[in-house]
Amino acid sequence: MKRTLWVSLMILLVGSIALAACAGGDKGNPGASPSAEGSSADPSANSKPAKPVDVSFFAPQGKAPLEDNDYTKLVEQKFNVKIKWDLAPADALVDRRQLLLASGDYPEVFLEGKFTTTDILTYSKQGVLIPLNRLIDQYAPNLKALMEKKPYLKTAMTAPDGNIYGIPRFNECYHCQYSQKYWINQEWLDRVGLSVPTTTDELYAVLKAFKTQDPNGNGKADEIPLTGAPNKSVWNGNIDAFLMNSFIYNDNDKYLTVNGGTVDFAADKPEWREGLAYIHRLYKEGLVDKAAFTQNDQAVGQLGNREGDEIVGSITTALLSYLVNVWDDNVIRHKHWVIVPPLKGPNGVQLAGTSQGLGEFAFAITKKASEAQQIAAIRIADYAFSEEGALLSEYGTHEGVGWNKAQAGEKNIWGEPAKFSFENLPPQDENAIRNDSWSLLGPKDMSKEFRDSFASAQDPLSSKGYETRLALATKTYEPYAPKEFYPAGAYIRPEDTDAAAQLTTSIKEYVQSNMAQFILGNKDIEKDWDAYVKGFDGLNLKKYIEIYQAAIEKN
């Protein structure tokens, strides 16, 4: 169960959750093509250099040597390159990168540099990182096509001066994009004679019924109508992540809103106050689990999987699997849980929290690289933006070991014919260390289209159909995404870096601390609201908004 859960949560560990999928190639041949219709393998590989190009790559140290890695050997042969690895411990990667850059003894290429937008601006202005525009235009047809297909990717990659200095790992995990979800116990709804709520008033009635009408039928007042957990323990487990979006948009991060390109702040608005008052009412009447503000993921799992009578009626979280076991087909408890779409609030607000599949920049080329090294590096990066390269880079070079071609009848999460599959693979030795892929290393195409080529069981309530279940649940959220939201790839100006870090930390802590106090009743929403809003003056909220406004204007 742990292994399967790890696979499902793999993208979250870097910023996203992996959807089930993969595939293609001649068994045992590291250079094999998946031979998939529409595959866009690198056409520029045919013009590889006459003699090998030596180039140094910076990357994290793994459990197996990268110089012996099958995917490394594949790209070295394919592009006539010899990679010299400059490796750093994964937990000290950024520190090691900073030391190299400060000393001037840095490599030609950062394969996995974890550059923020501010880092990109800083080192590009110093002339350390070179513009990639020409290289992408001439030698990266796959990346170029993806940027044209996904304009927000190009926008996020483009610095204020119009140049591109870094390439991210592009990760469009569909159910991660709308992860501020809410799940409810349909069996309990049936027992109290109510439907899945569609408004905040209906939710109140449902939770009240869960508390007072003994839906688990044991004659005890042991029901927990609504539980959750802090976001740091359970992904979007904090109850305001879902509920506040019925009053005002809550990004569950920086509390920023965007309207017509203008950045504003949500957590000091009257609508935020109204949302706090609603959540406080739920808590005051015993409809919210007192532990929801302190418990961790293990405690949540113990609540949901406890032996005997079920005691939880609903939960806010991206993944139902935090609460109940969805991995064992012999366990049926999870099967009566259903998704709750965004609720309409008293003023008609009905929004879904959303995010983009963009994070730090993995790849960058330094001024030390010669023209031949630049071309070789960009071709290697671009290959992972082809279907073939993404597949082999992420899941391994050997068909039948890390992936298979989908068989006739295998379908993806949308019920469409799949190209690749994880089915019928040999059992994996948990103690064995595979060294046939770069896995979560370097830039690559993990777009929705690529993920949608993977097979998933069609029964959403089966253990192998969990990804299908998440996709179908997420589809109910997509229509409620805000027209505008703060983009993931905003460029904080170097001169604003320190202020942005300090202000963001202090303002988020202030919002979250006061939110808990208002909900728990330690502060009175009527008496203490004005003082709470006034407190933002001392935190320089005006400067905070100005910094993030300037970032999206790229000036």
Side-chain angles (χ1 to χ4, degrees), residues 261-264 486 544-554:
T262 300
V263 177
D264 203 351
Y486 200 82
Y544 177 78
I545 296 172
E546 288 176 353
I547 288 173
Y548 284 102
Q549 179 71 57
I552 65 172
E553 292 175 353
K554 292 191 174 183

Side-chain angles (χ1 to χ4, degrees), residues 388-427:
E388 175 185 304
L391 176 67
L392 304 183
S393 169
E394 185 69 11
Y395 298 107
T397 55
H398 302 289
E399 180 183 358
V401 176
W403 51 270
N404 271 320
K405 294 176 183 175
Q407 300 297 310
E410 285 193 279
K411 297 179 180 179
N412 69 4
I413 55 176
W414 307 115
E416 302 163 342
K419 290 184 179 180
F420 311 119
S421 174
F422 284 144
E423 289 299 304
N424 303 314
L425 295 175

